[in-house]
Amino acid sequence: MQRFIDIGKKLLPLKHWLMSSNEDLLMETMSSTDYQDIKQQSNESKNALHIGIASQDHREQMNKWQYSPLLRFFIHMMLITDEKLSILS
């Protein structure tokens, strides 16, 4: 995850990111000063961290956020094409 975030924050400032998970995992992860600019949503049904580009959900009247798949797609493509990444057979 750290490698994912290191690549991603070079491409897009953290204030445009969204992270969601259950409250305990968010508190544990967001306690780091490195991630304080990331928008966060708590969802008790999630047991893993979900991270991506935040886009405003215009279907909601309140200030809600949803994920744009663009960041995840781009970072996964970077990892796939990374020649330094050693993949064990």
Side-chain angles (χ1 to χ4, degrees), residues 7-62:
I7 293 171
K9 69 183 179 183
K10 291 177 184 173
L11 302 171
L12 189 68
L14 293 179
K15 67 181 182 178
H16 299 292
W17 290 37
L18 175 63
M19 184 180 288
S20 62
S21 186
N22 64 53
E23 190 69 29
D24 292 336
L25 193 51
L26 276 177
M27 293 305 288
E28 181 180 320
T29 305
M30 299 304 279
S31 64
S32 170
T33 56
D34 296 337
Y35 307 120
Q36 289 190 0
D37 291 339
I38 297 176
K39 292 171 181 54
Q40 54 183 302
Q41 289 181 339
S42 178
N43 183 336
E44 291 306 314
S45 67
K46 294 181 179 178
N47 293 319
L49 286 173
H50 296 255
I51 190 165
I53 296 174
S55 66
Q56 196 161 16
D57 189 350
H58 296 289
R59 298 171 297 178
E60 298 284 335
Q61 294 298 325
M62 300 182 68

Side-chain angles (χ1 to χ4, degrees), residues 2-11 74-75 78-79:
Q2 186 61 46
R3 187 163 182 219
F4 178 93
I5 292 174
D6 287 343
I7 293 171
K9 69 183 179 183
K10 291 177 184 173
L11 302 171
F74 186 75
I75 300 297
M78 293 285 292
L79 291 172

Side-chain angles (χ1 to χ4, degrees), residues 64-88:
K64 295 277 187 167
W65 297 94
Q66 63 184 359
Y67 286 103
S68 165
L70 181 61
L71 179 66
R72 254 185 258 179
F73 171 78
F74 186 75
I75 300 297
H76 285 292
M77 291 304 297
M78 293 285 292
L79 291 172
I80 289 169
T81 59
D82 186 354
E83 295 173 359
K84 295 179 188 175
L85 184 64
S86 62
I87 300 174
L88 300 175

